Amino acid sequence: MLGITDLSTYLVGLALIILLPGPNSLYVVSVAARRGPRVAYRAAAGVLCGDTVLMTLSAGGVASLLQTSPVLFAVVKFAGAGYLTWLAVGMLRGAWALWRGREARRAERRGGASEAPKETVERPYRRALVVSLLNPKAILFFISFFVQFVDPSYAHPVLSFLTLGAWAQLFSFTYLSVLIFSGTFLAATFRRRKRLTAGLSAGAGAAFLGFAAKLSLASAS
């Protein structure tokens, strides 16, 4: 069908891959927990758009260019690691602000005065999009995974890549929707437990530092 071989195996492998935790899904669920589903779907849109761009670049041969140009791969790799680190620092600062806000409310109840932490401006769509795009391993993954299920004798391989990409986006959208409403449920459940919220935010920031370290050590092979 449309030059795709063994579609059932592709769908099983795709589901397993999408279920693996990564910076994109972690960021979406953190936005859902902090700001609700409406804003979280902006982040999800950024993820889907970023993945669409990466799939297009993969089909266009950019993956081969990254594999044959160590310098280009290193530039993209360290740019991605740097951005993930910047996001991690922001999450850790947010966790600290939540904790200080909790202490400030305690002080107010004791009759003291304390300045409330300032809320930072967040652009979920842009952040999620940049996180998706600054991931050279994702480009290499798309081309190496997709090509295994494309019939080389098919006259229109672009249609094969488009179909495989459409399935990937459908699975991603479904998975992100589950994460969004799970995050919203958890936020509603623990809305008053600021210590737990701060701990979760700090944990997410630490995870992003781990993603940054893993990406900085990645190779093109």
Side-chain angles (χ1 to χ4, degrees):
M1 182 182 68
L2 297 176
I4 299 174
T5 62
D6 203 356
L7 179 60
S8 58
T9 301
Y10 168 76
L11 295 179
V12 172
L14 183 65
L16 293 175
I17 291 165
I18 289 178
L19 288 174
L20 291 175
N24 290 343
S25 57
L26 181 60
Y27 179 66
V28 170
V29 76
S30 71
V31 172
R34 290 182 286 108
R35 304 187 62 183
R38 182 186 297 271
V39 180
Y41 268 110
R42 297 181 196 170
V47 172
L48 296 176
C49 289
D51 286 348
T52 299
V53 172
L54 294 183
M55 292 177 196
T56 304
L57 293 175
S58 298
V62 174
S64 299
L65 178 61
L66 287 176
Q67 285 181 314
T68 56
S69 176
V71 174
L72 179 60
F73 182 86
V75 169
V76 178
K77 177 180 70 173
F78 287 114
Y83 189 73
L84 288 177
T85 301
W86 181 76
L87 286 181
V89 171
M91 289 181 175
L92 293 173
R93 291 180 61 186
W96 177 245
L98 279 173
W99 183 264
R100 290 191 61 185
R102 181 173 180 272
E103 296 301 320
R105 286 188 294 275
R106 282 183 175 179
E108 288 175 0
R109 286 196 293 268
R110 292 194 299 265
S114 179
E115 183 180 353
K118 295 182 180 179
E119 184 177 352
T120 58
V121 177
E122 184 176 11
R123 297 177 176 84
Y125 173 83
R126 189 175 70 179
R127 284 194 176 187
L129 178 65
V130 174
V131 169
S132 295
L133 294 178
L134 291 179
N135 188 357
K137 296 295 285 187
I139 300 178
L140 299 176
F141 159 75
F142 281 127
I143 191 65
S144 62
F145 186 64
F146 281 9
V147 74
Q148 299 178 52
F149 301 94
V150 175
D151 185 353
S153 63
Y154 186 63
H156 306 287
V158 173
L159 292 178
S160 304
F161 276 96
L162 287 176
T163 305
L164 294 173
W167 276 110
Q169 294 293 59
L170 177 61
F171 275 44
S172 293
F173 178 79
T174 302
Y175 177 57
L176 291 176
S177 294
V178 172
L179 292 181
I180 286 171
F181 287 102
S182 298
T184 304
F185 172 77
L186 291 175
T189 303
F190 302 109
R191 191 176 301 277
R192 296 182 180 180
R193 301 178 65 177
K194 299 300 182 182
R195 176 183 293 183
L196 177 60
T197 305
L200 291 175
S201 182
F208 265 68
L209 286 177
F211 290 133
K214 183 178 180 181
L215 180 59
S216 65
L217 297 174
S219 63
S221 57

